[in-house]
Each structure stands twice: as C-alpha cells, then as structure tokens.
C-alpha cells in the first residue's frame, strides 16, 4: 500500500467537505444537516488516517505514500507530499481531533463558548456565522495542516504554513469570546512576522540551490545534499527557527497563545494547543535539524535555555492563573519546553520521546481543554475560584476532569508519563544540567494540576455550583462518546506505547544519524563505538 495516494485523499476529503458544508451552512434551516455532513467528512478522514497508519511500513522507505506533481516549473516548485513516521503521527492526531472537536462544539452552549471574561456572560454577543460555517473553517484548517505535515517541497510547506493562518484567524476572531478580535489580531501579527522571516530563508535556499545544482530546487531531499557554508546556515537556520519558535511557542515568543487560547472557542483551543502548535516542533525536526545540521548543533544551547525557561515559566503562570482556559494554555507552554529539550538533546531516545510527547500532548491536553469547556458551559464562569464540589453534583464529569488532569501532570500509567520519562532519560546523557532543571517542572505540574482539581472538584459545592445546580447535569451520551476514546488512548499509550514508538524510531534515527550526522545518537557519552563502556 506504499503507493496508495493516502495523502492526496487526506487533502481532498476535508477540502471537499469544507466547500459542501460552507455552501449548505449559509442557510440556518440547513444547519443541522450541514453539521452532520461535516462530522461525516471528518470521520472519513479519520478512517483514512487510521488505514494509512496501519499501512505504513516502519522498515520501508523513509518517505512513504509519496505524491508529486509539477506546480510552478520555472521555480522548481512541486506539489509533493510524503510521510515519514513523524508526519504520519501528526496527521493521525489532526484526523482524530477534528471530528471530536466538531461533535463537542455542536452548539454554541456545548462548551461554554458564550462565556467571555472569567465570571461574566454576554448572551447578546453573536458569532460571525452558523456552527456549520465554523465547521467548514475547521475542515479547511485540516486541509492546510495535512499539507504542512506531509509537504516534501519547502515552498509548498511555506504556502500551507501561511495559508493555515486564514481559517485560524476567522475561527478565533469570528467565534471566540468578547476579546476575540484583539486575540485574533495578535495571533495573525505574530504568525505573519514569523512567516515573513522564514520567507527570507526560503528565498536563501532558492539562491543556494540554484547556485549549487544549476537550477532552483525546493525538494526537501535534494536540499539536504547542499553544501551550505556555516555562516549561511546560521542565517537560514534562524529564519526557520524564529517562525517555528513562535508557532511552538517558546518563551519569549509565546504571548499570543494565552490570549488566543483563552478567547478562542474551546474546540478551536483544542486544535491550537493540540495540533497547530506542533507545526513548530515538527518544523524543528524536519527543517532546522535536517537542512541546517551544523547551525542546529551550534545554537542548541540557546534553544535548551529557552526550553527550560519555558518549562518553569509556564508552570509558574499556570499556578497563579484564575482563568481555566488560559491555565491550560500555560500548561502547554511548559509541555512544549520538554518537547524542545528532547529534540535539541540530539539522542534517539530523547527525540523519540519528544515526538511521542507531541502526539500524547494533543490527546491529554485536548481532553483537558474539552472538560474545562464542559465545566464552563454548566457554571457560566471561567474563574477557578467560582467552582467547588463538582464531584457531588456531576461525578462522571469530575472523574473525566480528574483523569485529564492526571495525564497532564504525567502520572505513571498515563501517556504523558512515558513521553516525559523518555525525554528526560534520553536528554540526561548529553545535557544533564538542563535535564535536572527540567525535572523541576514535574513538581510544578503536580502543584498546578492538583490545585486546579482540589479547587474545582472537591469539597462542598460552591455558591456558584449551588445556584446553577440545574445546569450541572452529568455527562450526556454525546459527551461520554467524545471523551471515552481519549481516555482509552491515554491509558493504552501509557501502558503500551510500543506500536507508536515503532513508527517514530526509524524517522528519528534517520534525522539524527543521516541528516545531523551523529554516529550513534542513542548511546550515552561514555560508550565506545561498539556500545561498551570505556
């Protein structure tokens, strides 16, 4: 099945779905039908992604399911797609979360999207369009995300990287809370600045490839063979790195995320922290390390400093945050510090842990965002201190909230623990100081998660919960259907992550050994060439 056009179909299915749903959703009389069709296209996409995952051969070619067509021939640009184990996992993640997000966001009230500032309601604020039109934007975003992860042409990657800003901007600015427009504007400014800086490096690659190959070439594999001088590598590296650091986000380029995640509809927030941010960390692996290996190693200490600062800073901010939606975004900033640490530690174990963390974070934090939205929908407030005693009035909701919190703090037995353990274990051999500092993040994670759980779930019901008791029904069948698959994945990958690691490991090894040129990145520094101790 390596020649089956999975990636082309995964691009076309949500594109067709977005067009159909956008046309149908213009009429409110068709909204329910349009929403069902949107979910149908999302489920077809998920089925294709799962089929592709099980058709992938970990022992086969590095890039599989390759599709290539001429696009802009004079510039050497092709519409070229291909997936290694890393891209495959990210595509499965977006295909999994999109139908879940649409079902969870079925009505404006489902996840408390009408709740604005913490503790306030604005029932007169009207969204920009129907829910069906919102689903159409989500499907369009899925198109560009699939292309971003699957592109093997750097110019195509850049186009998709910029194009995905359009649906994201309208999803935040059109359907978010009262401060949605400033949040969407901040998001687009940060992203566009990063994209323009990256464009400079894309043009630089065009010039270098034309000089060395005799004609311009944006093929990712061909660009890996260029002999780029160290000084030039540094400039090109930072052009890509800054754009990816904004998207990831790394401190101090992170400030757009709490604002955007806090003001976006909860479902869109799930996609922001669950998938869209992964474009940055994916870019580190696919482009920074592979195309600019010398610059990546030279500037790794700077990235590691930013990573551990992000771990501690994100945790501190989460501890003191009252707005539950913003709190989740700060936890993500801390988690992305662990991912960056694993990538720039340059060991196979840490790199595999980082990629697994990218997938597991999308599941665990996506679930946490969803249950926060369900609580907000019932309580009419985003403020942590307004809640208490939810276990008394809605035990199933509280139970799923508790599981999501435990996964977020990386409790052993949950998927996040495996990821963090691999990152720290793999990083210690090459970067012991940064790894030791990063372990402090474990302590802070326990503080902010257990503090959130204690304040909201335990004790007697708060005044707000008592006043709105009639709204605090327990989980509906629809909500149970949304959350149960995520819980199953949290525990399955926490106990048995090997099937996913089997897909990840060859891609990480190829990146570090073939692209970066590290002979044995999995070995500790005291091992000799044969793997024995000195």
């Amino acid at each position: 099945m390596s020649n089956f056009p999975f990636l082309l179909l995964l691009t076309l299915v949500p594109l067709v779905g977005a067009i159909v749903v956008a046309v149908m959703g213009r009429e409110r009389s068709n909204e329910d039908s349009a929403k069902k069709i949107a979910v149908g296209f999302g489920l077809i996409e998920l089925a294709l992604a799962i089929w592709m995952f099980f058709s992938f051969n970990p022992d086969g070619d590095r890039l599989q399911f390759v599709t290539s067509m001429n696009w802009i021939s004079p510039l050497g640009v092709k519409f070229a797609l291909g997936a290694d184990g890393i891209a495959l996992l990210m595509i499965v993640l977006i295909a999994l979360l999109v139908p879940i997000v649409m079902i969870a966001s079925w009505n404006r009230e489902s996840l408390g999207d009408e709740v604005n500032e913490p503790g306030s309601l604005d029932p007169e604020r009207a969204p920009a369009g129907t829910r069906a039109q919102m689903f159409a934007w989500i499907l369009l975003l899925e198109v560009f995300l699939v292309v971003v992860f699957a592109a093997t042409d750097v110019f195509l990657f850049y186009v998709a990287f910029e194009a995905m800003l359009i649906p994201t901007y309208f999803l935040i600015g059109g359907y978010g809370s009262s401060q949605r427009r400033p949040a969407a504007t901040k998001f687009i400014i940060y992203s566009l600045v990063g994209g323009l800086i990256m464009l400079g490096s894309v043009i630089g690659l065009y010039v270098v490839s034309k000089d060395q190959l005799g004609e311009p070439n944006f093929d990712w594999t061909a660009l890996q063979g260029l002999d780029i001088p160290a000084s030039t590598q540094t400039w090109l590296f930072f052009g890509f790195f800054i754009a990816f650091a904004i998207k990831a986000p790394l401190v101090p380029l992170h400030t757009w995320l709490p604002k955007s995640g806090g003001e976006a509809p909860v479902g869109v927030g799930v996609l922001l922290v669950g998938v869209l941010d992964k474009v940055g960390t994916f870019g580190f692996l696919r482009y920074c390390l592979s195309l600019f290996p010398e610059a990546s190693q030279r500037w790794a200490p700077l990235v590691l400093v930013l990573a551990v600062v992000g771990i501690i800073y994100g945790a501190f901010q989460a501890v003191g945050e009252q707005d539950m939606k913003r709190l989740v975004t700060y936890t993500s900033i801390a988690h992305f510090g662990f991912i960056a640490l694993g990538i720039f530690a340059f060991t196979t174990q840490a790199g595999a842990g980082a990629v697994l963390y990218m997938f597991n974070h999308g599941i665990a934090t996506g679930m946490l965002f969803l249950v926060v939205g369900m609580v907000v929908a019932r309580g009419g407030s985003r403020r942590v201190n307004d809640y208490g005693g939810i276990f008394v009035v809605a035990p199933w909701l509280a139970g799923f909230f508790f599981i999501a919190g435990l996964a977020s703090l990386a409790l052993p037995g949950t998927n996040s623990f495996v990821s963090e353990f691999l990152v720290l274990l793999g990083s210690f051999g090459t970067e012991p100081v940064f790894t030791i500092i990063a372990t402090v993040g474990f302590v802070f994670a326990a503080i902010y998660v257990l503090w959130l759980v204690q304040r909201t779930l335990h004790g007697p019901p708060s005044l707000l919960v008592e006043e709105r008791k009639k709204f605090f029904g327990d989980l509906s069948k629809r909500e149970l259907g949304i959350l149960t698959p995520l819980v199953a994945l949290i525990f399955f990958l926490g106990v048995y992550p090997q099937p996913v690691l089997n897909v990840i490991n060859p891609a990480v090894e190829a990146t570090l050994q073939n692209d970066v040129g590290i002979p044995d990145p999995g070995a500790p520094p005291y091992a000799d060439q044969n793997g024995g101790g000195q």
Side-chain angles (χ1 to χ4, degrees):
M1 299 300 293
S2 61
N3 295 322
F4 190 79
F6 281 111
L7 296 173
L8 188 60
L9 288 174
L10 287 167
T11 304
L12 292 175
V13 166
L15 179 61
V16 173
I19 295 170
V20 171
V21 174
V23 172
M24 289 188 63
R26 295 172 63 182
E27 299 293 334
R28 291 193 177 273
S29 59
N30 296 329
E31 184 171 10
D32 282 345
S33 298
K35 289 190 293 186
K36 291 176 183 176
I37 290 172
V39 173
F41 274 100
L43 292 174
I44 292 171
E45 183 85 349
L46 176 59
L48 280 171
I50 293 172
W51 183 13
M52 181 175 69
F53 179 85
F54 287 106
S55 299
F56 185 84
N57 180 10
D59 299 320
D61 295 336
R62 181 176 181 180
L63 293 176
Q64 300 180 32
F65 318 117
V66 174
T67 297
S68 182
M69 296 175 282
N70 288 329
W71 183 17
I72 310 175
S73 298
L75 298 180
V77 176
K78 295 182 178 180
F79 185 86
L81 305 174
D84 63 0
I86 302 169
L88 174 70
L89 210 58
M90 295 301 98
I91 292 170
V92 171
L93 179 61
I94 179 63
L96 171 67
L97 289 181
V98 162
I100 287 176
V101 161
M102 289 193 291
I103 297 170
S105 307
W106 196 256
N107 298 309
R108 186 181 168 204
E109 301 79 16
S110 300
L111 295 174
D113 289 340
E114 79 280 8
V115 180
N116 295 310
E117 303 304 326
S120 70
L121 287 167
D122 183 10
E124 297 181 357
R125 183 189 61 79
T130 64
R131 280 278 131 168
Q133 289 174 313
M134 176 180 165
F135 291 1
W137 283 118
I138 290 174
L139 288 171
L140 184 62
L141 175 60
E142 185 174 25
V143 174
F144 295 132
L145 284 169
V146 169
V147 175
V148 160
F149 291 126
T152 57
D153 182 282
V154 176
F155 189 84
L156 174 64
F157 168 82
Y158 173 76
V159 170
F161 182 87
E162 294 289 78
M164 70 182 182
L165 304 182
I166 299 170
T168 309
Y169 173 82
F170 283 107
L171 284 167
I172 298 172
Y175 300 89
S177 302
S178 60
Q179 296 299 310
R180 62 194 185 278
R181 292 190 180 93
T185 302
K186 189 169 188 177
F187 165 79
I188 203 75
I189 289 173
Y190 268 69
S191 300
L192 283 176
V193 168
L196 289 173
I197 294 172
M198 184 168 70
L199 177 60
S201 289
V202 172
I203 294 171
L205 285 173
Y206 172 90
V207 173
V208 174
S209 67
K210 187 175 182 180
D211 181 57
Q212 295 191 18
L213 303 177
E215 59 181 7
N217 196 323
F218 286 105
D219 179 75
W220 176 69
T221 304
L223 293 175
Q224 288 178 282
L226 296 178
D227 183 17
I228 305 176
S231 59
T232 305
Q233 269 201 39
T234 295
W235 286 104
L236 298 180
F237 166 82
F238 273 107
F240 280 90
F241 174 78
I242 292 172
F244 297 145
I246 291 172
K247 194 68 67 185
L250 290 181
V251 174
L253 304 174
H254 68 286
T255 58
W256 66 269
L257 181 59
K259 184 73 172 176
S260 300
E263 300 303 325
V266 170
V268 177
V270 171
L271 298 179
L272 275 177
V273 301
V275 183
L276 194 130
D277 291 354
K278 307 302 189 304
V279 173
T281 49
F282 173 81
F284 291 154
L285 284 160
R286 175 59 66 87
Y287 296 98
C288 290
L289 268 61
S290 296
L291 300 183
F292 318 112
E294 293 178 28
S296 296
Q297 294 180 77
R298 180 181 179 184
W299 294 101
L302 171 63
V303 183
L304 293 171
V305 169
L306 297 179
V308 296
V309 168
I311 292 170
I312 306 302
Y313 169 84
F316 262 115
Q317 289 293 109
V319 169
E321 182 58 59
Q322 273 291 312
D323 185 336
M324 286 196 286
K325 290 173 68 178
R326 289 171 63 93
L327 188 153
V328 176
T329 64
Y330 280 119
T331 68
S332 294
I333 292 170
H335 294 152
F336 276 101
F338 281 104
I339 296 171
L341 171 64
I343 292 171
F344 283 90
F346 297 115
T347 72
T348 339
Q349 196 171 49
V355 176
L356 183 62
Y357 209 156
M358 289 161 63
F359 184 76
N360 286 336
H361 173 267
I363 295 171
T365 305
M367 179 179 169
L368 183 59
F369 225 125
L370 287 173
V371 293
V372 162
M374 293 172 187
V375 169
V376 171
R378 288 162 168 79
S381 170
R382 288 160 39 182
R383 192 180 296 277
V384 175
N385 283 346
D386 286 340
Y387 292 93
I390 295 178
F391 256 122
V392 176
V393 296
W396 279 98
L397 173 60
F400 278 90
F401 196 134
F402 188 52
I403 292 171
L406 295 180
S408 184
L409 67 80
L411 184 78
T414 63
N415 58 347
S416 299
F417 172 77
V418 179
S419 310
E420 285 193 13
F421 184 74
L422 285 174
V423 167
L424 294 175
L425 191 65
S427 300
F428 186 77
T430 56
E431 302 293 345
V433 175
F434 290 113
T435 306
I436 291 169
I437 298 172
T439 55
V440 178
F442 271 125
V443 178
F444 286 115
I447 292 173
Y448 63 68
V449 170
L450 295 178
W451 173 82
L452 175 65
V453 166
Q454 180 187 19
R455 295 282 185 101
T456 57
L457 305 185
H458 298 291
S462 66
L463 180 62
L464 174 72
V465 173
E466 287 286 0
E467 290 177 347
R468 294 179 62 85
K469 208 165 189 177
K470 65 178 181 179
F471 298 104
F472 260 93
D474 217 336
L475 292 177
S476 65
K477 292 181 180 179
R478 176 178 61 85
E479 291 169 331
L480 279 170
I482 294 162
L483 298 177
T484 300
L486 298 177
V487 172
L489 283 170
I490 284 172
F491 288 118
F492 176 79
L493 294 175
V495 175
Y496 187 56
Q498 198 60 50
V500 177
L501 287 172
N502 288 340
V503 171
I504 294 171
N505 284 330
V508 173
E509 290 174 2
T511 299
L512 294 176
Q513 296 180 32
N514 301 340
D515 303 346
V516 182
I518 299 175
D520 187 9
Y526 51 80
D528 61 23
Q529 292 298 318
N530 296 319
Q534 291 183 347

